[in-house]
Amino acid sequence: MPLRWRLALLFALGTAFVIATAGLLFLQQLTAGLNNSLDSTLRMRADAEVARLASARPLPPLPPPPPSESRDRGQQEGQHGQSPGSDDITQVLARDGTVLATTDPAGRQPLADTTQRWAAPHAPVRFTTTVEGEKYRMLAVPARLGAQPVLVVVGTGSHLVEEATARTSTALWIAGPPAVVLAGLGAYALTGSALRPVERMRRRLADISEHDTTARLPLPSTRDEIATLAITMNAVLDRLAQALARERSFIADAGHELRTPLTTLKAELELARRPGRPHHALVDAITAAADDTDRLIRLAEDLLVLARADEGHAFLRTAPTAPADILTRAVHAASARAHPRGVRLNLHADAQVRIVADPDRLRQAVDNLLDNALRHSPDGAVIDVTLSTPHGPGADVAVIEVRDHGPGFPPAFLPLAFERFRRADAARARAGGGAGLGLAIVRSIAEAHGGSVVADNPEGGGARVRLELPLAPGPPA
Ligand SMILES: Nc1ncnc2c1ncn2[C@@H]1O[C@H](COP(=O)(O)OP(=O)(O)O)[C@@H](O)[C@H]1O
Ligand SMILES: [Mg+2]
């Protein structure tokens, strides 16, 4: 069932329930209030009668039975001489039920039955009875007629109470159902207007196709939850569009990077295919082709790592790791390449530091940093590699720094250094073999570990890259 119908039904049912409950309570209170006032009148009349009987000498004989026609002619008095209203009846009964005195409409039958006559001497008894088709509210109290214990039974017509309740319930029956229908209709109209922007948003969302990434949801003029939803949805669409744009440019860049070595590879192979090529030229062509293939493989591996790093932590196979060991091995391997150029690598590593990391990925990140440092170091320069844990508050990180003494990062390039396919000098870097993915991979690996990486040009020249990784939770020092 549509939400609109459900809400309308709910409102109608709720209103019906409220009206019914309130109506019943009101009727109950009304009846109780009217009966209370009848009761207090009865009480006063009974008290007066009791007092009158106490002072009376033996009762005069009962009057002859009244002509029992219409009661409209008014109250035919008993010999008690009182003047009650037309609905009032009074009887004086002996304990055995003999009617000693009675007012006209009460007739000669005792108004109180045996049970009531038995109970009345102990406490006043309230009851209702019907006389000549009229309902009466009755009160029986003990009294004395000289030495004789008697009962005074007074009653008053309760048709006013019934009329009042009947009129009230009629009013409720007349007004209730339309109120219920109105509540339902109101809820239906209200939810309709509240949901209209939702329907508009739904239609627009359905329209926003994969290629129409610029379209956004219309913002309703109301400042309610639906407007907030539209704002949030637009933010999600923005993020999706950005992600899509990033993805597309990544694929475009990757395609571009792949095309260059593939083109040279093809050219070299074309050249080698030409008839009459001397043997050494063939060997040269095949060597060059093998180099290009290596570059392609490296590029494919880098792209794979980046794609998988987008999964975050899930692509890591972490274990408690001593980064000092990894740095030692990486520096050792790099030293072999640095040696011919007289470049020296200095390692200062705190062997106590433990982190939870994927050793292979961490090594890859360090290798990328050392590779850059080596490439940008002038011959005979020194590269400093340190592993430390900074002191002070919030210092639960391991810091790996690689610093060279080359030209440093071009300042304008620093903010972009960790983006994919970014190179400060594309033409020169390509000769060195980089596609601009090295630092991007370092950042992906750092972030997958819950860490971060920054680059700067420290005083004294050169470039510095600082990799921060969270320390392994260990026993407090
Ligand atoms: N130690 C460094 N000194 C100066 N420039 C650097 C250094 N490391 C990286 N860069 C600059 O940052 C760019 C991006 O580096 P990187 O992501 O490793 O890509 P790649 O090594 O493939 O060129 C490099 O092309 C280079 O211009
Ligand atoms: Mg690099």
Side-chain angles (χ1 to χ4, degrees):
M1 205 196 312
L3 184 63
R4 238 183 132 173
W5 280 102
R6 266 186 288 165
L7 278 174
L9 202 66
L10 196 74
F11 262 73
L13 286 179
T15 313
F17 178 75
V18 167
I19 290 181
T21 317
L24 278 178
L25 275 176
F26 178 72
L27 275 179
Q28 208 181 26
Q29 290 296 317
L30 182 71
T31 319
L34 289 173
N35 278 340
N36 269 347
S37 87
L38 285 189
D39 284 347
S40 59
T41 319
L42 285 178
R43 184 80 229 184
M44 269 165 15
R45 274 177 51 210
D47 287 350
E49 193 64 21
V50 169
R52 215 175 57 81
L53 287 182
S55 60
R57 290 301 129 228
L59 270 181
L62 278 170
S68 58
E69 305 114 41
S70 161
R71 288 179 52 221
D72 292 348
R73 67 196 154 91
Q75 186 67 34
Q76 185 73 45
E77 271 294 301
Q79 68 271 58
H80 294 70
Q82 58 193 142
S83 54
S86 61
D87 285 333
D88 295 339
I89 52 177
T90 308
Q91 271 190 346
V92 179
L93 300 179
R95 295 284 292 274
D96 61 1
T98 315
V99 179
L100 301 177
T102 184
T103 49
D104 170 25
R108 315 212 72 181
Q109 288 299 314
L111 289 171
D113 65 20
T114 324
T115 336
Q116 288 148 357
R117 288 203 305 274
W118 268 99
H122 311 291
V125 176
R126 288 193 171 80
F127 57 99
T128 52
T129 188
T130 309
V131 179
E132 295 182 1
E134 292 278 351
K135 275 215 172 138
Y136 283 82
R137 188 156 178 87
M138 308 293 299
L139 174 68
V141 295
R144 279 193 166 272
L145 185 63
Q148 187 189 2
V150 293
L151 291 179
V152 169
V153 183
V154 289
T156 189
S158 61
H159 62 96
L160 272 181
V161 179
E162 263 133 47
E163 262 167 39
T165 46
R167 225 173 285 148
T168 312
S169 56
T170 313
L172 281 174
W173 276 114
I174 292 174
V180 169
V181 172
L182 266 181
L185 285 179
Y188 187 78
L190 216 68
T191 40
S193 70
L195 289 179
R196 214 162 293 133
V198 176
E199 173 57 17
R200 267 204 302 274
M201 277 159 59
R202 189 200 62 73
R203 267 200 307 256
R204 177 67 74 88
L205 259 187
D207 284 349
I208 295 176
S209 69
E210 213 178 303
H211 303 289
D212 187 13
T213 51
T214 50
R216 292 293 174 265
L217 296 181
L219 289 187
S221 51
T222 50
R223 287 200 196 150
D224 53 8
E225 291 83 349
I226 292 170
T228 323
L229 178 67
I231 292 170
T232 313
M233 289 243 244
N234 279 344
V236 171
L237 285 173
D238 282 343
R239 277 203 299 279
L240 284 177
Q242 281 165 13
L244 197 63
R246 259 202 316 275
E247 208 87 322
R248 282 177 179 159
S249 88
F250 181 64
I251 291 170
D253 288 341
H256 187 75
E257 287 301 327
L258 285 169
R259 199 174 55 185
T260 317
L262 283 172
T263 315
T264 34
L265 185 61
K266 183 162 184 290
E268 276 145 8
L269 292 177
E270 293 280 354
L271 212 62
R273 201 173 59 167
R274 283 197 189 154
R277 304 272 299 164
H279 176 73
H280 68 90
L282 265 180
V283 172
D284 284 353
I286 288 173
T287 311
D291 283 350
D292 280 329
T293 314
D294 278 344
R295 245 176 88 188
L296 279 170
I297 291 172
R298 268 204 310 279
L299 188 59
E301 279 170 350
D302 284 353
L303 289 174
L304 208 59
V305 169
L306 279 173
R308 292 192 44 217
D310 284 343
E311 298 166 21
H313 189 80
F315 102 107
L316 300 175
R317 267 186 277 203
T318 55
T321 308
D325 296 347
I326 292 173
L327 286 177
T328 308
R329 285 198 294 272
V331 164
H332 186 76
S335 294
R337 282 187 291 145
H339 186 69
R341 289 171 46 208
V343 173
R344 210 156 37 82
L345 286 102
N346 276 342
L347 173 63
H348 290 282
D350 180 348
Q352 305 300 315
V353 177
R354 291 286 180 280
I355 61 173
V356 175
D358 183 330
D360 294 339
R361 294 299 162 215
L362 187 56
R363 172 70 190 267
Q364 185 177 15
V366 171
D367 280 347
N368 284 359
L369 295 182
L370 292 180
D371 185 58
N372 284 352
L374 268 180
R375 186 153 1 121
H376 294 92
S377 283
D379 290 353
V382 173
I383 297 172
D384 293 308
V385 181
T386 58
L387 165 66
S388 59
T389 50
H391 300 288
D396 45 359
V397 287
V399 177
I400 296 172
E401 271 184 10
V402 176
R403 191 230 166 131
D404 62 50
H405 292 85
F409 290 94
F413 178 73
L414 265 176
L416 312 170
F418 293 97
E419 288 185 12
R420 297 168 181 191
F421 298 111
R422 291 285 184 169
R423 287 167 298 216
D425 179 356
R428 232 192 63 191
R430 188 161 293 147
L437 291 178
L439 289 179
I441 287 176
V442 174
R443 180 171 70 177
S444 288
I445 291 174
E447 286 175 354
H449 281 90
S452 61
V453 60
V454 286
D456 66 346
N457 296 325
E459 270 179 45
R464 175 170 63 185
V465 180
R466 181 184 160 97
L467 180 61
E468 290 192 359
L469 298 169
L471 284 179

